[in-house]
């Protein structure tokens, strides 16, 4: 925990391994997922441990909070919903697939891309499968949701737009570069970063 005025350390807490997943903040509580297969709930500002939740495997890439529930996917492919007030799990669901990207919350669903080129939607209430779409033969890169559409790249350089209401692919564009992260929208343009160190820019049209 650093001072905002000078950047000097104020307080700290040490886990048993690296912290690669960005921490979250909820009601004076810092939520930290460590590579030691635990999620730590620390009070702010004294960094006192309030709860430690053990996992079968560490958290893959990211966590998200919706109302009072924490959602995350562990590296063994299990989707979790955790009640932050009760400090107890709501449910967990084995996705039985290899997740390729960070998941996205969309209305009452959780969107997950897979290494097999599938875009899958799971229920926020219980983790059950709502629908699946085959969009590519390559793994999907991180997703951006804008309105009713999802935009993402694939590991073989495709840029894909999916209509989430119709649950079908709008269009696919071959960029011929390996895309690396979720696109960023600036006004009417989408910027897709590539591993070559440049961007592919697409214009968004209704």
């Amino acid at each position: 925990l650093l001072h905002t005025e000078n950047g000097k350390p104020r307080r700290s807490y040490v886990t048993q391994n690296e912290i690669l997943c960005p921490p979250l903040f909820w009601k004076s509580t810092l939520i930290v997922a460590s590579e030691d297969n635990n999620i730590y709930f620390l009070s702010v500002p004294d960094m006192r441990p309030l709860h430690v939740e053990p996992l079968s495997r560490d958290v893959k890439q990211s966590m998200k909070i919706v109302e009072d529930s924490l959602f995350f996917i562990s590296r063994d492919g299990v989707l979790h919903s955790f009640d932050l007030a009760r400090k107890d799990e709501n449910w967990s669901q084995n996705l039985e697939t290899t997740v390729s990207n960070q998941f996205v919350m969309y209305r009452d669903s959780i969107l997950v891309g897979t290494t097999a080129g599938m875009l899958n939607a799971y229920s926020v209430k219980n983790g059950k499968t709502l629908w699946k779409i085959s969009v590519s033969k390559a793994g999907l890169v991180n997703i951006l949701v804008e309105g009713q559409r999802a935009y993402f790249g694939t590991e073989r350089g495709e840029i894909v737009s999916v209509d989430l209401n119709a649950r079908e692919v709008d269009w696919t564009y071959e960029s011929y570069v390996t895309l690396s992260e979720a696109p960023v929208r600036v006004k009417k343009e989408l910027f897709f970063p590539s591993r070559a160190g440049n961007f592919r820019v697409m214009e968004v049209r209704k």
Side-chain angles (χ1 to χ4, degrees), residues 9-105:
R10 185 176 178 182
R11 287 183 179 85
S12 64
Y13 182 88
V14 180
T15 69
Q16 302 303 309
N17 208 328
E18 294 180 290
I19 298 172
L20 303 179
C21 178
L24 297 177
F25 188 74
W26 177 82
K27 295 184 178 180
S28 301
T29 301
L30 187 66
I31 304 170
V32 179
S34 172
E35 296 289 291
D36 64 9
N37 297 355
N38 290 301
I39 296 180
Y40 296 84
F41 298 82
L42 308 174
S43 64
V44 177
D46 61 2
M47 300 295 282
R48 177 174 52 86
L50 302 173
H51 178 74
V52 178
E53 182 68 17
L55 304 174
S56 57
R57 287 291 307 274
D58 54 295
V59 174
K60 181 179 176 67
Q61 294 186 323
S62 68
M63 303 179 289
K64 291 180 173 59
I65 294 175
V66 177
E67 295 180 351
D68 291 337
S69 291
L70 176 71
F71 295 88
F72 59 91
I73 299 175
S74 52
R75 207 171 292 274
D76 53 1
V78 178
L79 176 62
H80 301 261
S81 173
F82 187 85
D83 189 299
L84 292 170
R86 294 187 293 108
K87 300 292 187 295
D88 194 15
E89 191 164 75
N90 292 320
W91 50 260
S92 62
Q93 182 73 22
N94 191 333
L95 301 184
E96 299 180 346
T97 187
T98 304
V99 177
S100 64
N101 58 19
Q102 296 185 26
F103 65 93
V104 175
M105 310 300 292

Side-chain angles (χ1 to χ4, degrees), residues 127-141:
K128 301 295 184 182
T129 302
L130 298 176
W131 49 262
K132 296 182 179 181
I133 305 172
S134 178
V135 298
S136 174
K137 294 181 180 180
L140 307 187
V141 183

